[in-house]
Amino acid sequence: MTTSRRRFLAAAAALPAAPSILARTAATDWDETFDVVVVGSGVAGTVAAIAAAEKGAKVLMIEKLNRTGGTSRFSGLNFACVGSPEQKKRGVKDSPEALARDMFRVSGGVGNYELALVMAKNTARVEKFFTDRGVRWDGRLLKLGGHSAERCLIPEGDGAGLLAALTKYMAGLKNLTVRTSCKADEVLFDKDRAAGLLVRENYAFSEDPRDDETNRTGTPRRIRALRAVIFATGGYARDRAFRAVEVPFLDGVSTTTSPGATAGALKTLVRAGARAMHLSLYRFAYPLPTEDMVWGVLIDPATGTRFMSEGASRNELAVGTLQRRLTNGDKKPFMIYDEKALGKFHNLNRVGRSLNGLNGLDGTMFRFDTIEALAAHYGADAAAVKKTLETYNRDIAAGRDEAFGKPLERTERKVEPIDMKGPFYGIVISPRLNYTPGGIRTNEKAQALDWNGNPIPGLYVAGEAAGGLHGQERMTACSMPDCSVFGLIAGENAAAEHA
């Protein structure tokens, strides 16, 4: 037994309200019957529910919160797509194999190339699925960090806009029922097959993740799934106690994921016999796109100097800034931009939200007329900051970053010296744990696998609830195709199961 599994099972076994690990709950009398039951209402769950309903299945989609959308409704949902109409229109040369290779390279060698290839081969099909059901794209085609080609699409209205279009479409599907304030407690089995769920309706969700196992509100009901159960319950970034067992320094890291992003569903699936994997991995995000850090200068307020490359990967930036805070009195590093730099951002909408104080915790960008005003705001020595910028500007003008070797070109745009006349723009760089790569091991059919690698009949897992695809670092714009592709596959396969 691996250390990760041993620690995970020990932690889950200690929960007072939980049944014995791997002790499957047998089906008894049913209160209600559907063909397919989907747990979770983000992109993965919504796509799965629509796909199953369109195949003729009677579908129930449940959500433990009193609203739908999960973390997807707060996300940008940039979408890496091979073979989109935009790529074809612009003559971009790309292939599913190229996207899968990019993902595997970024994964640190611990991602799953075969699953990535399945995902990549289905992205164009999913793009059409979205477009045909009312989703609109903003017309851009971007080459974001880690990608070898221009392939990333942006939905109009980001995640909220995409889900609004799908929700409107779902309203016309008479065989699809959506039920909020409904929490899945256990997978119920008929012999070795997942046959339904023990749920609690009228569940009063608490935003304190410590209540995830002790909150017993709601009315228990047994819902039968004649064909299959699909878990699309997202990650566990909100569950500090759970994540800190695997990675202690994550205990103090903030997150802007949905309040429902706890480990309860993951524990339910493990109790049902599914294998968890990659629980020690993590992925950070920032109020501003990681790809656009490269245009600025990252400063330690304790010294007024740079301490790493602004062009590093998102996890490298996170670890670098968090480790710096361990030695500088927990002072948050900040980024300096000028107006030319802001104009290079691939997502100006997020810049606008930051400038208007609408980009969440530590997400506000401030404008300053002078270096002195900027330095005073962040508690740094103005003379040290000015000297750092002057040295940086000389190096960039000479075509090199002597100190940290950061790349000076990205997406055919060049890094330029900071305009010392001002104005200057500053924002704290404080990483958020906004994605958890760990989850349930699945196959290319989105079936949950047991500890021996065998599919669990009638049980599917899609999206962030699944683990193993992305490895130690998920590439930008690849969560959306992961959730949507495997949500689609899960929904179609679940509907095709024999009743």
Side-chain angles (χ1 to χ4, degrees), residues 246-329:
E246 294 288 338
V247 187
F249 79 77
L250 292 182
D251 183 42
V253 177
S254 64
T255 179
T256 56
T257 53
S258 165
T262 60
L266 177 60
K267 296 171 187 176
T268 294
L269 287 164
V270 170
R271 290 195 292 266
R275 177 169 184 167
M277 63 182 300
H278 286 180
L279 301 182
S280 293
L281 302 181
Y282 46 84
R283 184 192 192 259
F284 292 96
Y286 309 85
L288 297 178
T290 310
E291 295 80 13
D292 294 320
M293 302 288 187
V294 74
W295 315 122
V297 181
L298 184 59
I299 300 290
D300 177 1
T303 63
T305 62
R306 295 172 71 211
F307 58 94
M308 66 180 300
S309 166
E310 297 84 359
S313 71
R314 66 178 59 242
N315 280 358
E316 289 171 340
L317 281 164
V319 173
T321 54
L322 290 172
Q323 289 181 337
R324 176 61 52 145
R325 287 168 59 178
L326 290 175
T327 61
N328 75 353

Side-chain angles (χ1 to χ4, degrees), residues 76-92:
L77 295 191
N78 296 353
F79 180 52
C81 180
V82 178
S84 69
E86 279 296 324
Q87 274 196 326
K88 293 177 180 178
K89 183 171 70 176
R90 303 185 193 198
V92 175

